[in-house]
Amino acid sequence: MNLAAPSSVQKLRTALHDKAKESPKRRFHALYDKVYRRDVLACAYECCKAKGGAAGVDGQGFEDIKEYGVERWLDELTEELKSRTYRPRPVRRVYIPKPDGKQRPLGVPTIRDRTVETAAVLVLEPIFEADLQPEQYAYRQNHSALDAVRHVHKLINTGHGKVVDADLSGYFDSIPHAELLKSVARRVVDGAMLHLIKMWLEAPVEETDEHGRKRRSTRNRDESRGTPQGAPISPLLSNLYMRRFVLGWKQLGHERRLRAYVVNYADDLVICCRGSAEEALATMRTIMGKLKLTVNETKTRVCRLPEEKFDFLGYTFGRCYSPQTGRAYMGTVPSKKRVNRICEAISSETGRNTTLLDAGTTVGKLNRMLHGWANYFCLGPVSNAYRAVESHARKRLRQWLCAKHKVRGMGTRRFFGCPPARCAGTRPPSHADPQLSVGELVDLSPRAGCVSSPVRFDERGVKTEHDGVSETPTDERVGQQIGLI
């Protein structure tokens, strides 16, 4: 959850987790009434509101609920759940572009359904958290994609140099309902709660075509498979089903026999092997087939380090060289795809169609975008990637300012750059404290005396705090203040 839960909700979650942890075979009976408990439902609504998001098929947004009255709205939803007349509404389907040019379907439930699903997650998550395997890093507190990257890095540096780089075709759309509900029922025997989950899985999907016509599909119910990406309950259910593969891999002895270790993040997984990677790949295919999941053969391969490289969670794993000694070692760098993607995003934000925007608005967007990018890509030798992104961002921002002010040329004299450390608001360099390079500015834990943000544009010509409120910027000084990553 994004927000800290109230003490009463936290107490409930802690009690459920402790009971599940103490007894791995314990089954929980009375859970449905916890979903419509007022403090749980109110906490769920606040979590949904904090995340924001578009309205569902009913067109009701958070502002509409505020006008209607949040307390009144929650009272009515509580009564629906209590009387068991609650029925989920269709999920609005939208498509977001993928890096390979394809489109990823995304489900947008109504705020009403998102609130109930989040309440169910508040109740179910602490129970199933006790069962998830340590190799699963997605959608969990105190676990992250960077932790998964570190795990793989540790494995390849301890002799597991043969890697199965696996990819699943449409994992979220392929999860079979019957097997998934069996995984839930292993812990939950509350019939009302199981029925609630089944209704969400079978909810129809509503799409709008290019002509504005709406049509509904009942594919999930007809084929008894799939969980819509975008629903609050979906991450928990996807983790729960993937647990079957990770646990089966270990319990069937494949990990020990092949000395092959799985690292999983959502539908991405790699298997780092000391033994035969080909045998590990064949075994993985067999298990996935039994789970009714499909391996994407075009993207799944065996990679042998250090001769080859592979990508996982935005990082490229392979041979790197120390800039000081030239010594080769196994490490990680931001993948070329991710560097290209952030450069494309910068180009999009600084296109000619955005020159009517205020300079501070554009700079603020670039700040947030680059800040998040550098916070994630902070492992391994990153300076080359940072320099590439810095160079591109400087060039694009100068071009944008030239187009905005109708200045000919590249604008290198009128909109000149300054050293990143100084632009970011750090103390001026000295002999004892040399000016930091772009790569050195980024670290997981900020150094004393440096700003916490590893990425910073400063839209003003004065020293600023990281979270300070910006005054109205002077456009011609924006080009000077581009302390990038």
Side-chain angles (χ1 to χ4, degrees), residues 98-257:
K98 296 172 66 175
D100 59 4
K102 298 180 181 179
Q103 289 188 317
R104 183 190 304 278
L106 188 69
V108 183
T110 63
I111 295 176
R112 164 181 172 272
D113 293 333
R114 295 207 295 264
T115 299
V116 181
E117 288 187 35
T118 304
V121 171
L122 284 168
V123 174
L124 294 174
E125 186 179 56
I127 296 172
F128 292 114
E129 175 61 31
D131 296 337
L132 294 180
Q133 300 300 297
E135 296 86 355
Q136 295 181 264
Y137 289 94
Y139 318 124
R140 301 175 66 185
Q141 288 186 351
N142 304 319
H143 293 71
S144 70
L146 287 178
D147 292 330
V149 171
R150 292 188 187 99
H151 189 175
V152 174
H153 182 264
K154 180 180 179 181
L155 287 171
I156 65 175
N157 277 283
T158 52
H160 301 81
K162 290 172 280 189
V163 179
V164 177
D165 181 11
D167 184 82
L168 300 178
S169 298
Y171 172 64
F172 289 88
D173 292 331
S174 303
I175 299 176
H177 292 173
E179 286 77 3
L180 174 61
L181 289 171
K182 284 181 182 178
S183 296
V184 177
R186 188 183 56 82
R187 279 290 201 173
V188 177
V189 290
D190 185 330
M193 178 65 83
L194 293 172
H195 179 65
L196 197 60
I197 295 172
K198 187 177 181 181
M199 286 196 297
W200 288 327
L201 291 174
E202 295 181 347
V205 173
E206 183 177 284
E207 295 185 57
T208 303
D209 61 21
E210 61 273 12
H211 301 293
R213 293 185 296 242
K214 296 180 179 179
R215 56 188 180 87
R216 290 186 179 179
S217 167
T218 57
R219 171 193 168 276
N220 285 9
R221 186 185 64 188
D222 297 340
E223 299 182 6
S224 296
R225 63 173 58 246
T227 174
Q229 285 181 267
I233 196 74
S234 184
L236 176 62
L237 297 179
S238 66
N239 259 354
L240 187 58
Y241 197 68
M242 183 59 73
R243 172 186 176 272
R244 300 182 72 170
F245 169 76
V246 178
L247 186 63
W249 184 265
K250 294 191 289 187
Q251 288 187 344
L252 294 172
H254 303 308
E255 179 181 273
R256 183 178 61 258
R257 178 173 58 86

Side-chain angles (χ1 to χ4, degrees), residues 10-26 28 123-131 187:
Q10 191 59 48
K11 185 177 179 181
L12 169 66
R13 286 167 57 83
T14 301
L16 291 170
H17 179 74
D18 289 345
K19 290 178 181 178
K21 196 76 173 176
E22 289 170 6
S23 179
K25 294 185 178 180
R26 183 188 180 102
F28 292 80
V123 174
L124 294 174
E125 186 179 56
I127 296 172
F128 292 114
E129 175 61 31
D131 296 337
R187 279 290 201 173

Side-chain angles (χ1 to χ4, degrees), residues 440-461:
E440 290 170 335
L441 276 176
V442 181
D443 199 298
L444 284 174
S445 52
R447 274 166 268 190
C450 293
V451 291
S452 60
S453 170
V455 184
R456 187 65 179 167
F457 283 127
D458 191 342
E459 56 268 32
R460 301 182 294 173

Side-chain angles (χ1 to χ4, degrees), residues 149 311-317 333-336 338-339 376-377:
V149 171
D311 290 353
F312 181 61
L313 298 180
Y315 280 87
T316 296
F317 293 78
V333 294
S335 70
K336 291 181 180 179
R338 291 302 183 95
V339 173
Y376 180 72
F377 291 103

